[in-house]
Amino acid sequence: MASIYIVVNLVFNILVSIFVISSSLNCSKKTFSPEKTFNSCTDLPYLRAHLHWNYNPSLKKVSIAYRSKQTPRGWIAWGINPTGIGMVGSQALVAFRYSNGSMTVYPTSITSYNPSMLPSQISFLVSNVSAEYKKNEMIIYAVVGPLENGPVVNHVWQSGNSVSSGIPQIHSTSDPHLQSMGTIDFSVQPR
Ligand SMILES: *[C@@H]1O[C@H](CO)[C@@H](O)[C@H](O)[C@H]1NC(C)=O
Ligand SMILES: *[C@@H]1O[C@H](CO)[C@@H](O)[C@H](O)[C@H]1NC(C)=O
């Protein structure tokens, strides 16, 4: 009896962990509220992050949802670097949660390795910017563009553990935080 119980329990645990792993890794399983639907998504390789988007080729605009695991006191950011690869030069959107529970999100230009992280102008038009915190994830929504150089961009993403006096504080410099960058083609639809 005991061994049957152990086997059943083991199988159950394996099934649960497979479900947990696949639901956190497979971006196409994520559902948004009906007014926010995204045709494309990719599971980003670092920081438990995912990017969802719709690209409108005639307007050269991309509607995105960037989401990442985060604690209530942390921050997340996603950006496009139109002039290079990596952090410096990125035109970013940063989001965090105030202690009263409401989220804030704003554009910020990353001009150095010690950026202000305060709201600033960025070189892209952004609209429909909002953020939410749900199920231990922060999500940034935005419409970005026109992307004058087309749908292939260098992008970066980041998360940090703390916000102090309304200013996101430096992120960890451990490996995943230094590798969270890549190239993305918004005109293709990975699944
Ligand atoms: C929460 O706090 C922020 C920052 O102080 C403020 O701007 C915002 O209006 C507050 N939200 C609510 C719902 O009170
Ligand atoms: C942006 O917001 C406006 C006003 O809420 C809405 O009409 C429009 O459909 C939104 N655009 C996109 C691409 O989501």
Side-chain angles (χ1 to χ4, degrees):
M1 263 325 260
S3 63
I4 288 175
Y5 173 77
I6 289 167
V7 168
V8 168
N9 202 26
L10 188 67
V11 168
F12 178 77
N13 283 335
I14 289 169
L15 287 177
V16 166
S17 53
I18 287 171
F19 176 76
V20 169
I21 290 166
S22 61
S23 63
S24 70
L25 276 185
N26 192 341
C27 61
S28 63
K29 295 216 166 66
K30 169 77 181 172
T31 53
F32 294 92
S33 52
E35 75 280 8
K36 295 185 170 88
T37 53
F38 300 95
N39 297 325
S40 308
C41 71
T42 185
D43 297 309
L44 298 170
Y46 305 105
L47 307 178
R48 300 167 88 182
H50 315 266
L51 187 66
H52 302 255
W53 71 90
N54 286 324
Y55 182 65
N56 182 324
S58 53
L59 298 177
K60 294 184 173 179
K61 287 186 179 187
V62 66
S63 173
I64 63 110
Y66 168 74
R67 63 187 177 92
S68 176
K69 267 272 185 294
Q70 189 50 285
T71 59
R73 289 161 182 259
W75 57 265
I76 64 166
W78 174 84
I80 291 175
N81 190 334
T83 54
I85 291 169
M87 172 177 161
V88 176
S90 303
Q91 307 297 301
L93 293 162
V94 58
F96 58 87
R97 191 175 171 270
Y98 289 120
S99 49
N100 63 15
S102 58
M103 290 290 294
T104 183
V105 54
Y106 55 80
T108 185
S109 176
I110 308 294
T111 53
S112 74
Y113 285 109
N114 185 20
S116 77
M117 297 303 277
L118 293 170
S120 66
Q121 281 238 305
I122 62 173
S123 63
F124 297 107
L125 284 176
V126 285
S127 59
N128 299 48
V129 180
S130 64
E132 63 183 0
Y133 187 65
K134 238 186 202 169
K135 296 182 182 165
N136 303 315
E137 271 188 343
M138 288 187 183
I139 312 179
I140 293 173
Y141 300 96
V143 178
V144 183
L147 300 173
E148 296 299 353
N149 296 325
V152 182
V153 299
N154 292 322
H155 72 138
V156 295
W157 63 99
Q158 196 53 265
S159 40
N161 292 334
S162 69
V163 175
S164 173
S165 307
I167 301 174
Q169 301 296 296
I170 186 167
H171 60 78
S172 156
T173 52
S174 66
D175 261 354
H177 293 268
L178 303 182
Q179 293 170 331
S180 50
M181 63 182 95
T183 300
I184 195 155
D185 183 348
F186 289 129
S187 68
V188 299
Q189 297 195 359
R191 278 288 167 189

